[in-house]
Amino acid sequence: MIEVDGVTKAYGSGKTRFLALDNVTVTIRKNEFFTLLGPSGCGKTTLLRVIAGFVDPTSGTVTMDGADLLKLPPYARPVNTVFQSYALFPHLTVRQNIAFGLEMLGKPRAEITQTVDEMMALVQMTKMADRQTGQISGGQQQRVALARALAPKPKVLLLDEPLSALDFKLRKDMQIELKRLQTETGITFIFVTHDQEEALTMSDRIAVMSAGAIRQIGSPRDIYDHPAERFVADFIGDTNFLPAEILSEADGVVQVRLGSGAEIAARPVEGAGRGAVTLAVRPEHATLGPEAGALLPGTLRNIVYFGTDTHYHVALDGGDSFVVRAQNQPDRASAVAEGDRVGITFPPGVGQVLRD
């Protein structure tokens, strides 16, 4: 659907030159939910605005279905944008807000009425049709903004952190709703967020960005289970990082030695090389137990209860720290206490060797 090739966006010149986008290349497929994920200032919104036509790139090309998108002004591009602020007209009703864009396009009245009815049903706002948008909740306003953007039937819908203003529970509900809307409409969604949970929940593929560049692209499971570098592993979910040394590599498996002296098999990553590396281990893949025979002995410093699970913070004997996440069971208290000597184990193959 969209090909972004070598797009750079620079601001300033000389010593003050800043690259908001640094030679970004990405292919976004038809009918997929594609997410640009990264911290503030990483370039994700700038890339979205380049596609929308609100920002002109310094260099590079953007095509849609093979046609040069950069030659078209924003209003002529077959894309629509849902902004963080929604930008609804508070004095107009839900129906009038959804109809506004179609009216500006000069669509026949009968077509507008039919399309608005379809959009209200799609976002489950039919009963609110005659209410002004200033009289409905934030979640309902978000649905109206989506319906208004979907009404002209764009080829691509751009969403710039549209859930950030919602409370936690409503945000989680809307994550499911957004994915449902994308599936039912078949429109390509390009979603911008700094929230890793949103990205993992909704996306078909994720592009993790940092410092104006894409660091890794893949499915949510690929990004989470097989991070290509330390930044990605650290940004997506909680991760423990351990110094290790590669001893051997064969048949897609590397043997590493940990700081404790224990040896274990791990997953390799391209370009990691030999010798000293970093091993990433997710907290839920490790188990807390007795010190004797463990891969990593240490002292339990903190126990943090989260309701669904408990995090055990361990100070390893070598000076590093490690967090173990264990799912809670009803009426079962922790068998260990802060200050206890403990040991950490994890199965062969769950650790990911990383390049820094």
Side-chain angles (χ1 to χ4, degrees), residues 59-121:
S59 61
T61 62
V62 181
T63 59
M64 180 183 292
D65 291 333
D68 187 353
L69 207 58
L70 300 181
K71 291 182 178 180
L72 299 175
Y75 63 83
R77 300 186 186 193
V79 304
N80 256 350
T81 305
V82 178
F83 298 99
Q84 185 175 339
S85 63
Y86 308 150
L88 299 174
F89 299 108
H91 62 289
L92 299 182
T93 66
V94 167
R95 180 184 297 277
Q96 290 168 335
N97 266 276
I98 298 172
F100 181 81
L102 298 172
E103 292 170 348
M104 293 298 99
L105 292 172
K107 299 293 184 181
R109 175 51 55 185
E111 180 182 338
I112 292 175
T113 300
Q114 179 180 343
T115 301
V116 170
D117 287 343
E118 290 173 354
M119 290 300 106
M120 287 192 298

Side-chain angles (χ1 to χ4, degrees), residues 216-289:
Q216 186 174 353
I217 299 175
S219 70
R221 185 174 294 276
D222 286 340
I223 294 289
Y224 187 84
D225 288 343
H226 304 283
E229 57 182 83
R230 182 167 182 142
F231 172 81
V232 176
D234 195 25
F235 191 77
I236 304 290
D238 298 322
T239 311
N240 297 292
F241 297 105
L242 299 170
E245 180 185 5
I246 293 181
L247 302 177
S248 63
E249 181 174 356
D251 299 325
V253 177
V254 295
Q255 195 74 13
V256 300
R257 180 186 291 124
L258 304 176
S260 63
E263 298 179 9
I264 194 168
R267 301 192 305 269
V269 69
E270 184 179 353
R274 296 296 182 93
V277 293
T278 297
L279 187 70
V281 181
R282 298 291 186 184
E284 67 271 19
H285 294 159
T287 303
L288 196 69

Side-chain angles (χ1 to χ4, degrees), residues 18-31:
F18 167 71
L19 290 180
L21 294 174
D22 187 4
N23 195 30
V24 171
T25 296
V26 61
T27 297
I28 299 170
R29 300 166 184 160
K30 189 175 183 179
N31 300 338

